[in-house]
Amino acid sequence: MTDSELPPLNPQDEAALLARLANTPSPPIPPAVSQRVAAAIDQEAQARAEQEEANVVGITRGRRGFRVLAAVASVAVIALVGVAVVPSLTGSNSDFAAQSLNACTVAADPAADLTPVMHESGQRYAMADFSDQAMGVMSEPAPECDQPQGDEAAGSQVQATNIMAEKMPMVRSCVVAEMVGRPIHVADMADFEGKPAVVVVAGAPEEVVALDCDKSQPAVLARKTMTE
Amino acid sequence: MSETVHEDARADDQLLRDHVAGDPSAFGELFRRHQDRLWAVALRTSRDPDEASDALQDAMVSAFRRASTFQGNSKVSTWLHRIVVNACLDRMRSRRSRPTVPLPEQGDYLAPDPRDPINEHVARITVHDALAELPEDQRAAVVLVDLEGWSVEAAAEALDCPPGTVKSRCHRGRARLAQVLGNLAPPTPVSTTKPTNPEGPQARREGGQS
């Protein structure tokens, strides 16, 4: 017999049925079930606590990383001021060239194991993958830091750094004007799509910007924000 | 069932807020406070104690994780009951797609308690068996409204359907129950008053713990 075929309950029967249902005692939860569910809840609480602890460690590491970046930026600014502003004030480019050789030494705090800021990598950056190229440059030490310190090597370094010295004040003002307030990880004087350009890695998360610094106002040639 | 004295004086909604804020013991206290009612609903909805046990555990873990989504538009206990009912229905639907052969015995939970009057045990086992004859949607409505003493509106909220649907399911479920229980003598004494749940949403609306 289907539900639709069931005879309707008269009010008296319905009242008796409702009373009977209401008087049916509720079965108490068996201790084994109670313990099992409580254990599952405790397990969830423990997993949540471990997850929160892991998150705190992650945040701490992130903050530590940010502090390292900030330290890099601070040292870089000091290095830039030391190698660019002071010589320009004294008008001694030859002195600057010699100081520029030491720029990576100044920037690379041995205690902090920091990378140098200024590069002249000779990279030919392309629009398609300039950000990857720049991140690769950032992960490497500045070329002049790794070169041998013999007389022959020193000659090529002086030549290279003289080019840097000529461009440095302009590059510095160009980069600082564009990247104002952001920590600069790398500024690579190189080539972008066949034209001289400065490719800068700055900020957190890192942003890679290709700049045309040959003009009075910096022109952004390309920009990409790096995401994890 | 006797009232349990809880050492934790926090209201349900406060416990849930504390749980979301990171209190590791708040949700456990919430479960301890409502475990008997939640179990009764799970058992009566599922019919099978193993299924009810699994559904209750699933529901509590789900509620633990989803606590931050609780909007506060209903009582915490209503929210918990709704999750339990839905967990039971989900498991039944899942089991329906994977049919199994039921065990003949009902389990220890129905074993006679020597302290209980015989009539009480008879009433429990027969109503339980009769409920098993109902389709799951009718059974859930009858369990919440007629056995747990919820209002039609609260049951509709828990079952996520209009109040009219709950009324209709209860009406048909009662007709079926009357037929199944027809040959059994009513337990004595018979009260003709409408059932109320001392810990349920209906009673709590009248000033109980939220």
Side-chain angles (χ1 to χ4, degrees):
Chain A
M1 184 180 290
T2 63
D3 288 346
S4 57
E5 294 168 331
L6 288 172
L9 283 174
N10 65 52
Q12 193 177 356
D13 288 344
E14 185 165 16
L17 175 68
L18 291 177
R20 184 166 186 178
L21 294 177
N23 286 333
T24 303
S26 293
I29 188 169
V33 176
S34 174
Q35 289 165 10
R36 175 183 155 189
V37 177
I41 291 171
D42 288 345
Q43 197 172 357
E44 284 293 313
Q46 190 174 352
R48 185 175 72 162
E50 288 171 0
Q51 180 64 43
E52 285 172 355
E53 190 177 345
N55 289 344
V56 168
V57 171
I59 290 169
T60 307
R61 285 180 180 160
R63 285 177 181 162
R64 190 189 306 157
F66 182 76
R67 283 199 297 271
V68 169
L69 289 177
V72 169
S74 302
V75 173
V77 168
I78 292 169
L80 281 171
V81 168
V83 301
V85 176
V86 173
S88 67
L89 288 174
T90 59
S92 173
N93 277 345
S94 56
D95 288 348
F96 165 71
Q99 292 172 28
S100 183
L101 274 177
N102 295 325
C104 67
T105 309
V106 173
D109 179 357
D113 191 23
L114 302 177
T115 55
V117 173
M118 295 306 299
H119 283 248
E120 195 174 23
S121 69
Q123 283 269 7
R124 293 183 179 277
Y125 287 95
M127 179 69 83
D129 59 353
F130 74 100
S131 57
D132 292 336
Q133 290 175 286
M135 296 303 285
V137 169
M138 188 175 76
S139 65
E140 296 172 358
E144 59 270 31
C145 295
D146 285 344
Q147 287 175 1
Q149 298 301 314
D151 292 343
E152 189 178 339
S156 63
Q157 282 178 0
V158 169
Q159 188 177 8
T161 51
N162 276 339
I163 297 170
M164 288 180 74
E166 290 172 8
K167 294 181 178 178
M168 186 65 78
M170 184 177 63
V171 168
R172 174 186 168 277
S173 60
C174 169
V175 170
V176 169
E178 180 59 31
M179 297 294 165
V180 59
R182 279 177 284 181
I184 300 166
H185 312 314
V186 160
D188 185 18
M189 291 185 290
D191 178 282
F192 183 83
E193 293 288 344
K195 294 179 182 177
V198 181
V199 177
V200 183
V201 182
E206 291 92 350
E207 185 179 37
V208 184
V209 183
L211 296 172
D212 180 355
C213 289
D214 285 343
K215 298 174 182 175
S216 56
Q217 291 293 321
V220 176
L221 303 173
R223 184 191 298 272
K224 183 173 181 182
T225 300
M226 305 301 290
T227 54
E228 291 184 9
Chain B
M1 185 168 42
S2 62
E3 281 290 324
T4 305
V5 178
H6 301 287
E7 293 180 0
D8 197 323
R10 288 176 289 179
D12 287 354
D13 52 358
Q14 184 61 51
L15 278 172
L16 199 63
R17 277 197 297 271
D18 290 349
H19 161 66
V20 172
D23 184 337
S25 63
F27 194 86
E29 170 60 23
L30 207 51
F31 168 66
R32 279 186 289 276
R33 187 175 288 179
H34 297 285
Q35 61 179 349
D36 283 333
R37 282 289 169 193
L38 294 171
W39 168 252
V41 168
L43 182 61
R44 286 165 168 168
T45 307
S46 293
R47 294 181 296 167
D48 176 77
D50 290 334
E51 282 294 311
S53 175
D54 288 345
L56 182 59
Q57 181 172 329
D58 288 351
M60 290 301 101
V61 170
S62 174
F64 184 102
R65 294 174 180 171
R66 289 162 45 193
S68 60
T69 66
F70 177 67
Q71 299 290 318
N73 298 328
S74 62
K75 305 287 184 187
V76 172
S77 56
T78 304
W79 177 70
L80 288 173
H81 277 80
R82 183 191 312 148
I83 294 173
V84 169
V85 169
N86 285 327
C88 293
L89 296 177
D90 285 346
R91 291 190 71 85
M92 282 190 289
R93 291 183 194 114
S94 173
R95 192 171 56 171
R96 198 166 47 204
S97 65
R98 296 178 286 105
T100 56
V101 179
L103 296 172
E105 70 272 15
Q106 294 296 327
D108 292 342
Y109 72 103
L110 283 176
D113 185 335
R115 295 166 298 183
D116 284 350
I118 293 175
N119 278 346
E120 186 175 296
H121 173 64
V122 170
R124 185 197 303 178
I125 194 168
T126 53
V127 168
H128 178 89
D129 289 344
L131 283 171
E133 299 294 320
L134 300 183
E136 62 191 42
D137 56 346
Q138 292 177 20
R139 184 167 61 249
V142 168
V143 165
L144 291 180
V145 175
D146 294 338
L147 277 86
E148 297 299 320
W150 289 33
S151 69
V152 169
E153 290 74 21
E157 187 185 341
L159 297 173
D160 196 22
C161 63
T165 303
V166 173
K167 287 180 184 174
S168 170
R169 289 175 181 175
C170 285
H171 179 75
R172 284 178 288 161
R174 288 167 194 159
R176 170 72 71 181
L177 282 177
Q179 185 194 38
V180 174
L181 295 169
N183 294 330
L184 295 167
T188 55
V190 173
S191 167
T192 56
T193 56
K194 175 79 177 172
T196 55
N197 178 359
E199 294 180 1
Q202 193 175 45
R204 278 193 289 275
R205 274 195 297 275
E206 294 165 2
Q209 203 167 27
S210 63

